Amino acid sequence: MTEILAADQIGFPVLSALIVLPLLAAVVVQFLASEDAQRRTVIIATILELVLALFVLAKFVPESADIQFAERGLWMPLIGASFYFGVDGISILFLPLTAFVILLAVFLSPARGTGFGRFYWTNILIFEALTMGSFAFLDLLMCFALWELILIPSYFQ
């Protein structure tokens, strides 16, 4: 099976951005004191994530059987571990669906006024990043590892 690189298809590593964006938002939430500011930051991040996922869906070429938006790179060069992102006709549908469900969870969240806002929002954002990664990774070992890591933020929610 062949692949179409993300750099050739749209010009930037979009799948990496889908994974890193919630992680960056989780870091920003750690530095915000107000629960309202934390909630607004999470809402903005999840809306951006949904827009980016819909952009990927719009740029996907359904007539092609190739792996699209592919990204390859060294994960841990000392041991020779690498990563391999990409989407096919099935996994492309899960990216915007995940972003939409997380956005709904954020809007319908009862975390306001509980005192656990920062921890709750961080768990949701980490959950989103890991879920996006598990759908985008083409390496079975990394997909499995991320799928298992999803259990940690799921436990605390």
Side-chain angles (χ1 to χ4, degrees), residues 62-83:
E63 294 83 23
S64 175
D66 298 334
I67 297 295
Q68 297 182 38
F69 307 106
E71 301 172 32
R72 289 180 183 262
L74 288 176
W75 183 255
M76 292 179 269
L78 292 175
I79 62 171
S82 63
F83 66 87

Side-chain angles (χ1 to χ4, degrees), residues 23-53:
L23 294 175
L24 289 176
V27 170
V28 169
V29 164
Q30 297 303 311
F31 294 104
L32 299 174
S34 147
E35 283 188 21
D36 286 334
Q38 294 168 9
R39 183 179 177 90
R40 275 186 260 124
T41 302
V42 172
I43 288 172
I44 290 168
T46 53
I47 288 172
L48 287 174
E49 186 85 358
L50 179 59
V51 167
L52 193 57

Side-chain angles (χ1 to χ4, degrees), residues 47-130:
I47 288 172
L48 287 174
E49 186 85 358
L50 179 59
V51 167
L52 193 57
L54 289 172
F55 174 73
V56 170
L57 182 63
K59 293 294 184 178
F60 186 79
V61 181
E63 294 83 23
S64 175
D66 298 334
I67 297 295
Q68 297 182 38
F69 307 106
E71 301 172 32
R72 289 180 183 262
L74 288 176
W75 183 255
M76 292 179 269
L78 292 175
I79 62 171
S82 63
F83 66 87
Y84 183 31
F85 294 131
V87 290
D88 57 8
I90 295 173
S91 62
I92 187 69
L93 300 173
F94 290 112
L95 299 178
L97 179 65
T98 300
F100 178 70
V101 169
I102 295 294
L103 182 61
L104 281 179
V106 167
F107 274 123
L108 301 174
S109 175
R112 179 174 264 163
T114 62
F116 296 106
R118 180 176 291 126
F119 183 69
Y120 181 77
W121 297 129
T122 302
N123 277 325
I124 282 185
L125 291 168
I126 291 172
F127 178 85
E128 183 175 27
L130 292 172

